Amino acid sequence: MQMTEVTYEDAIPIDSYGPGFFRIGGEIIKGGAIIHSKGARSWAGYEDVESVLALKDEIDFVLMGTGTNMAPVHSAFRETVEAAGIGVEPMASPSACRTYNVLVSEGRRVAAVMLPVEDTAKE
């Protein structure tokens, strides 16, 4: 079997995630996160649509990580982002993390807008 190392020439990969956080390029972001080729930072949730719209010249679509499970994207958020010409692809945040890393390794023009997963540990 031939192994090929994945490289991220023009993007920062999502290293990992956990209850309430994402690790991106070695840095921890608590809560929601927005990740794109130029960096990553905290994201305040669906009300922070301007952060996504600011990327309209750099991306074709966003992977919308909806948390632990896939959930519908708030309609006002989806409508505003799509009106700007940016596609919205919802999926659970774990799936969105993996998909984002694959797509940026291929050089795709994508951002990930992520809600964190919940702590499912039982006490």
Side-chain angles (χ1 to χ4, degrees), residues 87-106:
V88 178
E89 295 294 330
M91 58 186 68
S93 292
S95 297
C97 288
R98 293 185 298 271
T99 303
Y100 174 82
N101 283 349
V102 169
L103 293 175
V104 297
S105 75
E106 295 173 350

Side-chain angles (χ1 to χ4, degrees), residues 36-97:
H36 54 95
S37 65
K38 300 218 185 329
R41 65 175 182 78
S42 293
W43 183 63
Y46 289 111
E47 297 78 28
D48 189 10
V49 70
E50 292 300 321
S51 293
V52 178
L53 297 178
L55 300 172
K56 72 178 184 173
D57 294 330
E58 301 171 32
I59 62 172
D60 297 321
F61 63 100
V62 294
L63 299 172
M64 178 69 236
T66 59
T68 304
N69 299 305
M70 185 173 162
V73 174
H74 291 182
S75 59
F77 178 87
R78 177 187 283 279
E79 289 167 8
T80 302
V81 171
E82 288 180 346
I86 302 168
V88 178
E89 295 294 330
M91 58 186 68
S93 292
S95 297
C97 288

